[in-house]
Amino acid sequence: MSSRRPRTLLSAIGLVALALVAGGLSAAALLQSNPIAATPAPVYTSAITAPTSSPITQETVPSSALSSSPESTLDDSIPPHNASKVVIIGDVYSDISAPNLWTLTVAEELEWSPVVNISDPGRGYVRAPSSCDIYACSNFRGTISTVAEHNPDIVVTFGGTADGDNDLSTAASEYFAALREALPAAELIAISPVTSEDEVPYFLRLHDQTISAAVEAVDGIFIDVGQPGVGDGEQLSAEAQDEVAQAIIEELS
């Protein structure tokens, strides 16, 4: 009886070893037959694209609006595809520091976007401002290259008061002729000069006629906004700014 026990123990050990080898072979066969389990899952990235029916085009989406960052989104300030790009060039009455600036009201009502405002106190058809925040300190004609760089659909010129009692015939004619040459397809609009002094200087009435003739000679539009700011002081009041805006909206609507 004692001679059989070792054989039985050896047999048991052999069976266990065979079972382990068989299990290892089965696992290897399973990995070979199932490549998905052995291959890492691919990592996918996404890119921002616009559907073909979207009004957003390459021209209206700035390059900064698209990036590889997952937080990147389209800029909410991108204008509607039917909005007009506008450059406004003027004097103190169109300066961005003015209260209730007329440009804001008109831009919202007429869907002007984006709007570039090149206005500084003292800028006119003849005179150049004494200082400028951003753009070159030049008169209207001296800023044409800056205006053209923005390739606007509309250019609005609002000034003449800062020129004082100077004949604007030559300056206005040359300015609008050069502006038309630089932007043959743009709509050119001139606004009559206004004042916020206690009385309207006689020369502003002469400027009205000169500016009107010059802009209309190049198929532009002249808008007479009257004198709503008489007596306002150094700057047009909010009420006067609104009257200017409403006169422009009425003419262009």
Side-chain angles (χ1 to χ4, degrees), residues 152-163:
D153 303 306
I154 300 172
V155 180
V156 181
T157 305
F158 187 7
T161 306
D163 293 311

Side-chain angles (χ1 to χ4, degrees), residues 75-161:
D75 187 352
D76 292 337
S77 66
I78 296 173
H81 68 287
N82 60 341
S84 297
K85 295 181 291 184
V86 180
V87 171
I88 296 170
I89 179 169
D91 54 23
V92 65
Y93 300 126
S94 299
D95 188 70
I96 58 174
S97 63
N100 199 39
L101 188 61
W102 67 269
T103 62
L104 303 177
T105 303
V106 175
E108 181 178 2
E109 181 67 24
L110 300 182
E111 294 186 349
W112 287 357
S113 179
V115 174
V116 178
N117 192 339
I118 307 176
S119 300
D120 286 289
R123 194 190 304 276
Y125 290 90
V126 174
R127 287 190 58 188
S130 57
S131 63
C132 308
D133 293 335
I134 302 177
Y135 299 100
C137 289
S138 180
N139 58 20
F140 289 163
R141 186 173 182 181
T143 61
I144 289 178
S145 60
T146 301
V147 173
E149 287 176 1
H150 295 280
N151 192 29
D153 303 306
I154 300 172
V155 180
V156 181
T157 305
F158 187 7
T161 306

Side-chain angles (χ1 to χ4, degrees), residues 74 106 111 114 183 233 252:
L74 291 177
V106 175
E111 294 186 349
L183 297 166
L252 299 179

Side-chain angles (χ1 to χ4, degrees), residues 27 30 55 57 69 87 96 139 149 194 211:
L30 180 60
T57 66
S69 172
V87 171
I96 58 174
N139 58 20
E149 287 176 1
V194 300
I211 296 169

